[in-house]
Amino acid sequence: MGDDEEVKVFGMWASPYSRRVELALKLKGIPYEYIEEDLSNKSALLIKHNPVHQKIPVLVHNGKSIPESLVILEYIDETWRNNPILLSQDPYDRAMARFWAKFIDEKILSTTRKVSFTTGKEQEHAIEEVTEQLKLLENEVKGKAYFGGEGIGYVDIVANFLVFWFGNLQEALGINIFSQHKFPFIFEWIQKQLKIDMVDESRIPKDKHLTYIRTRLAAFKSASK
Amino acid sequence: MAGELVLLDFWPSPFGMRSRIALAEKGIPYEYREEDLRNKSDLLLQMNPVHKKIPVLIHNGKPVCESVIQVQYIDEVWHDKAPLIPSDPYQRAVARFWVDFIDKKIYELGSKIWKTKGEEQANAKKEFIECLKLLEGELGDKTYFGGESLGYVDVALVPFYSWFYAYEKCGDFSIEAECPKMIAWVKRCMQKESVAKSLPDQEKVYEFILQLKKVFGIE
């Protein structure tokens, strides 16, 4: 790794997908330039680096663009082989880690969007669904210090949205899906995560976040009238 | 290293086909078990309690779920035969990106083509073709997405070819007319025994879709 190593992250401060990429880079001690994107007015550079989806996050390493947060995390782990190693070398452990990361993104985070953007019976159903999905995740971390076992790894980073983001979201929505009483093992895991400097430092400013979520929800409500 | 290998699958599933191709490419023997999705086996429910879906690859009693995860697992365990995933981190990221793209777009759009009518179907067809054209762009002048040999993206995408005839009949359009490069690539893939033996006959898939339409009450 030399002085000519150029790492850029196109991100958005409130996006859990963006935050997980920054966390991985910080944990591995990789310096990077962060570019904040205004999602209502995406930059030409972002579109150039992610023409297919035009979304954040995008990692640009020495001019090479890598979009999609899970793809980026594996790229970071494979390119910078210093500690913490995010994915085990064992094929079965890797398969399990990938399974849970996919579950988090395709189920939990996807259902969370439904919880945010629906009302009435539809929202009630989404809340039930996400509660069941969180229970499955709770079961997975039960008896473990980290999802990966020994130290912070791939799934812990993907699950980082539970440390700050999810709590803020449910406060803004005025619901209580996620509590220490209902999910003692996830909360125990959160406490361990907070002891890691880089995780604690990646805290999203709460008031700013609450305002942002409330503004988005209000905009959505008025748009759907 | 082979140990005991079982694949719980369902014959028309493009996801199951991915694992079939990967195992065939590497010449790995396994037991194929057909699941009746209206009456899922205890083994399936036990091995994939979270999603209760096929395909499930069971290796020495331990389940690996999700087709893209299975293909990567197969490639990592049997890494010395017919490698599917590049070794360079950036090339791996590119391959993973396109497999993710295929997963997000092709199945869902294809489903809309056979399940819907009118404007919804027309939009699905348009977007489907646009996605195939993007994939054609990624293929470029290469023989396969993986270069000179089948790669991860080829394995992830080619199973959907077995559904093309059904999409074309239901959507009243020709995929070859819109995306000739894609069909040329498909034909090259079908020359490979691992692919040809893993994909069901297109007419059979179409009949299956017609049955599903009856069951779901879709015109």
Side-chain angles (χ1 to χ4, degrees):
Chain A
M1 221 188 321
D3 296 317
D4 52 356
E5 193 91 271
E6 191 195 59
V7 182
K8 296 188 190 188
V9 174
F10 287 80
M12 195 265 159
W13 65 274
S15 157
Y17 306 99
S18 177
R19 292 245 155 202
R20 54 171 73 146
V21 169
E22 289 197 84
L23 180 59
L25 291 168
K26 285 181 178 148
L27 285 166
K28 289 205 182 242
I30 301 154
Y32 63 96
E33 182 194 340
Y34 176 78
I35 297 126
E36 181 69 39
E37 279 288 325
D38 172 0
L39 298 184
S40 61
N41 186 19
K42 292 172 181 176
S43 73
L45 262 183
L46 172 65
I47 294 171
K48 174 188 156 198
H49 285 301
N50 189 4
V52 173
H53 299 302
Q54 301 182 7
K55 285 182 170 181
I56 55 91
V58 183
L59 182 82
V60 183
H61 181 209
N62 293 335
K64 295 179 290 195
S65 333
I66 300 123
E68 294 300 309
S69 65
L70 297 184
V71 176
I72 297 171
L73 289 180
E74 292 214 34
Y75 176 81
I76 290 171
D77 202 37
E78 289 166 5
T79 304
W80 291 279
R81 297 300 293 155
N82 59 307
N83 283 333
I85 299 293
L86 305 180
L87 271 172
S88 159
Q89 291 287 73
D90 174 72
Y92 192 73
D93 291 341
R94 289 159 77 84
M96 292 313 295
R98 286 170 177 148
F99 176 87
W100 288 106
K102 209 166 187 268
F103 180 78
I104 286 169
D105 276 9
E106 288 176 11
K107 298 290 176 187
I108 299 178
L109 282 170
S110 169
T111 312
T112 301
R113 263 194 292 283
K114 274 194 232 169
V115 170
S116 305
F117 295 114
T118 59
T119 51
K121 278 252 168 274
E122 220 185 322
Q123 190 188 46
E124 265 171 50
H125 181 73
I127 288 173
E128 267 168 40
E129 219 185 319
V130 82
T131 305
E132 286 311 305
Q133 290 163 350
L134 285 166
K135 281 191 187 146
L136 287 166
L137 200 66
E138 162 93 349
N139 225 34
E140 189 50 29
V141 82
K142 195 166 157 177
K144 294 189 207 168
Y146 304 93
F147 281 97
E150 294 305 305
I152 189 169
Y154 181 67
V155 181
D156 303 285
I157 293 173
V158 174
N160 176 259
F161 75 99
L162 289 168
V163 180
F164 307 112
W165 186 88
F166 198 87
N168 292 348
L169 177 67
Q170 73 170 4
E171 190 175 323
L173 286 169
I175 55 180
N176 186 19
I177 305 171
F178 188 54
S179 64
Q180 182 165 11
H181 171 73
K182 286 189 207 163
F183 298 99
F185 297 110
I186 295 182
F187 270 75
E188 217 177 288
W189 169 83
I190 289 174
Q191 291 315 306
K192 288 200 191 71
Q193 288 292 295
L194 289 170
K195 292 203 167 79
I196 301 170
D197 288 341
M198 296 303 171
V199 174
D200 193 49
E201 279 166 30
S202 71
R203 185 181 293 269
I204 311 178
K206 188 170 178 181
D207 289 335
K208 188 180 175 194
H209 195 207
L210 287 174
T211 307
Y212 171 76
I213 297 170
R214 287 175 178 140
T215 311
R216 271 196 87 193
L217 290 173
F220 175 76
K221 281 205 173 88
S222 62
S224 49
K225 282 207 172 92
Chain B
M1 208 184 352
E4 191 197 75
L5 205 51
V6 178
L7 181 68
L8 303 181
D9 202 346
F10 179 49
W11 68 269
S13 163
F15 306 103
M17 287 174 221
R18 291 168 167 176
S19 298
R20 290 175 226 166
I21 297 170
L23 291 165
E25 266 296 284
K26 290 169 185 276
I28 303 156
Y30 67 98
E31 184 195 337
Y32 176 95
R33 281 198 212 171
E34 189 70 34
E35 281 284 331
D36 174 359
L37 298 186
R38 294 158 302 178
N39 187 19
K40 291 174 180 177
S41 71
D42 288 340
L43 183 63
L44 172 57
L45 299 175
Q46 183 200 343
M47 290 284 140
N48 190 358
V50 172
H51 300 298
K52 305 179 173 68
K53 286 184 170 180
I54 57 90
V56 180
L57 184 73
I58 310 171
H59 188 204
N60 294 331
K62 295 196 292 188
V64 179
C65 304
E66 301 293 307
S67 64
V68 296
I69 296 174
Q70 285 161 14
V71 173
Q72 291 183 88
Y73 177 80
I74 291 165
D75 203 48
E76 286 168 15
V77 174
W78 292 278
H79 51 82
D80 46 355
K81 295 187 201 179
L84 297 169
I85 297 169
S87 45
D88 170 70
Y90 180 65
Q91 293 308 321
R92 287 158 80 87
V94 171
R96 286 183 178 132
F97 172 83
W98 286 106
V99 171
D100 176 74
F101 174 80
I102 291 161
D103 267 7
K104 283 184 166 111
K105 300 282 184 183
I106 303 298
Y107 184 71
E108 205 187 298
L109 290 170
S111 291
K112 280 197 186 154
I113 293 173
W114 70 262
K115 280 183 182 167
T116 68
K117 284 233 150 335
E119 201 181 328
E120 207 183 339
Q121 189 192 54
N123 288 337
K125 274 160 59 180
K126 183 167 171 277
E127 212 189 324
F128 182 77
I129 294 296
E130 277 164 13
C131 289
L132 291 186
K133 289 199 162 132
L134 274 171
L135 286 160
E136 281 184 324
E138 175 56 23
L139 178 66
D141 293 321
K142 300 197 290 288
T143 310
Y144 305 102
F145 286 91
E148 287 307 304
S149 54
L150 277 190
Y152 187 38
V153 181
D154 302 277
V155 173
L157 182 59
V158 80
F160 291 99
Y161 172 64
S162 61
W163 286 56
F164 279 8
Y165 180 69
Y167 297 154
E168 286 173 326
K169 291 289 278 187
C170 295
D172 188 29
F173 70 124
S174 161
I175 295 171
E176 185 159 14
E178 306 270 1
C179 304
K181 275 185 100 172
M182 174 101 332
I183 299 303
W185 161 79
V186 163
K187 290 186 174 154
R188 290 194 289 275
C189 290
M190 291 295 283
Q191 304 252 334
K192 300 204 136 243
E193 201 180 333
S194 59
V195 177
K197 286 199 163 166
S198 302
L199 265 58
D201 177 65
Q202 290 194 80
E203 298 237 13
K204 245 189 118 185
V205 173
Y206 178 50
E207 271 161 43
F208 169 71
I209 295 294
L210 290 178
Q211 294 267 5
L212 279 184
K213 282 172 81 133
K214 269 198 204 130
V215 167
F216 288 118
I218 305 166
E219 289 288 296

